[in-house]
Amino acid sequence: MDNTQVNKQIMAENIKHYLKLKNINVKDFAKQLGFKYTTVLDWVNAHTYPRIDKIEEMARYFNIDKSKLVERHDTTGAESDLSKMLKNVESYDGKPVTDNDIEAIRIFLQGRFSNR
């Protein structure tokens, strides 16, 4: 799957997640925002990706930051403990993160939190 399709899928999952939280269906959502129903349906089915102005409108509607729509998030309600998140780190500032880097971060954090 190419990056474009991955981004469409992430957007689709996030929109569905926030629709569910707000307990609203796609049709009513589209109507409330003045979007074409078929366009929103294409977003939700990962066929197309919304323009930035539409993403901003959706973020305002859901009262969330735009990143909550465009980035992958754990929407299962699972614990978001930092040690679990570190397992998924691949890069920082465009540079690859190694296993040694992750271990150094973990040791630093253990020392930092043990002093509290």
Side-chain angles (χ1 to χ4, degrees), residues 4 6 9 11 20 29 31 52 82 91 94 106 108-109 112 116:
T4 302
V6 169
Q9 193 63 43
M11 177 65 69
K20 185 176 180 180
F29 173 65
K31 187 175 182 179
I52 187 64
L82 183 57
S91 67
R106 189 179 322 281
F108 169 79
L109 290 172
R112 177 81 171 124
R116 286 190 176 181

Side-chain angles (χ1 to χ4, degrees), residues 52-103:
I52 187 64
D53 61 316
K54 302 302 182 192
I55 294 170
E56 289 170 346
E57 287 183 58
M58 287 189 284
R60 277 193 300 274
Y61 177 82
F62 292 125
N63 196 30
I64 57 173
D65 191 69
K66 291 180 295 221
S67 67
K68 297 287 188 184
L69 290 171
V70 300
E71 297 172 4
R72 186 174 304 281
H73 302 282
D74 178 11
T75 57
T76 62
E79 183 180 346
S80 61
D81 185 62
L82 183 57
S83 62
K84 292 178 184 177
M85 293 169 58
L86 284 173
K87 293 177 186 174
N88 298 316
V89 173
E90 295 177 4
S91 67
Y92 174 77
D93 202 23
K95 298 174 184 140
V97 174
T98 67
D99 290 340
N100 289 340
D101 296 329
I102 298 295
E103 187 57 26

Side-chain angles (χ1 to χ4, degrees), residues 6-69:
V6 169
N7 290 339
K8 289 176 189 176
Q9 193 63 43
I10 291 168
M11 177 65 69
E13 290 169 8
N14 289 336
I15 293 172
K16 287 187 242 183
H17 171 74
Y18 287 105
L19 288 174
K20 185 176 180 180
L21 285 178
K22 209 157 175 80
N23 195 28
I24 187 169
N25 63 42
V26 174
K27 190 172 187 175
D28 290 338
F29 173 65
K31 187 175 182 179
Q32 287 183 18
L33 286 170
F35 297 162
K36 285 179 58 176
Y37 170 68
T38 54
T39 300
V40 177
L41 208 51
D42 282 344
W43 299 338
V44 170
N45 291 320
H47 296 300
T48 60
Y49 193 85
R51 294 186 331 239
I52 187 64
D53 61 316
K54 302 302 182 192
I55 294 170
E56 289 170 346
E57 287 183 58
M58 287 189 284
R60 277 193 300 274
Y61 177 82
F62 292 125
N63 196 30
I64 57 173
D65 191 69
K66 291 180 295 221
S67 67
K68 297 287 188 184
L69 290 171

